[in-house]
């Protein structure tokens, strides 16, 4: 397993998970005091799945898909736990 903390800004969607040739099972935790949004490369506050501050979710990312995140208002960290 790999765990890391990634800095997410409100200006540009940041890739938090690379595409793989298998389904990925991951855990995300919003370590930020504001909301974060996750989705595709065009993720925004209007189209992303939102994570409240302190929220943790478990998701499965289909094969050959990437995952991006963007912050609601200020730069903060999102933690990810994923398989190697």
């Amino acid at each position: 397993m790999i765990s890391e903390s990634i800095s997410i800004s409100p200006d540009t969607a940041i890739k938090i998970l690379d595409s793989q040739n298998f389904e990925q099972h991951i855990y995300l935790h919003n370590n930020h005091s504001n909301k974060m949004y996750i989705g595709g490369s065009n993720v925004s506050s209007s189209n992303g799945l939102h994570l409240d501050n302190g929220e943790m979710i478990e998701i499965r990312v289909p094969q050959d898909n990437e995952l991006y995140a963007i912050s609601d208002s200020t730069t903060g960290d999102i933690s990810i736990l994923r398989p190697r």
Side-chain angles (χ1 to χ4, degrees), residues 68-83:
Y68 290 78
I70 195 164
S71 173
D72 188 30
S73 60
T74 60
T75 300
D77 291 340
I78 192 169
S79 295
I80 183 170
L81 178 67
R82 61 185 168 85

Side-chain angles (χ1 to χ4, degrees), residues 7 21-22 33 36 45 53 55-56 63-64 74-75 79-80:
S7 182
N21 64 350
F22 53 87
S33 59
M36 298 254 184
S45 60
N53 58 331
E55 185 175 1
M56 193 273 304
Q63 177 178 329
D64 300 325
T74 60
T75 300
S79 295
I80 183 170

Side-chain angles (χ1 to χ4, degrees), residues 4 6 8 14 16 26-39 43-61 67-74 76-81:
E4 62 185 305
I6 302 169
I8 307 297
I14 304 294
I16 60 172
I26 64 169
Y27 297 87
L28 295 174
H29 179 252
N30 181 1
N31 292 327
H32 190 27
S33 59
N34 294 309
K35 291 179 184 175
M36 298 254 184
Y37 298 88
I38 60 171
V43 67
S44 70
S45 60
S46 61
N47 67 10
L49 175 69
H50 87 269
L51 295 176
D52 285 324
N53 58 331
E55 185 175 1
M56 193 273 304
I57 63 168
E58 174 184 1
I59 61 174
R60 294 184 185 272
V61 179
L67 192 61
Y68 290 78
I70 195 164
S71 173
D72 188 30
S73 60
T74 60
D77 291 340
I78 192 169
S79 295
I80 183 170
L81 178 67

Side-chain angles (χ1 to χ4, degrees), residues 2 5 17 28-29 33 42 46 57 59 65-66 83-84:
I2 297 172
S5 184
L17 189 68
L28 295 174
H29 179 252
S33 59
N42 66 335
S46 61
I57 63 168
I59 61 174
N65 281 271
E66 299 172 328
R84 197 166 273 265

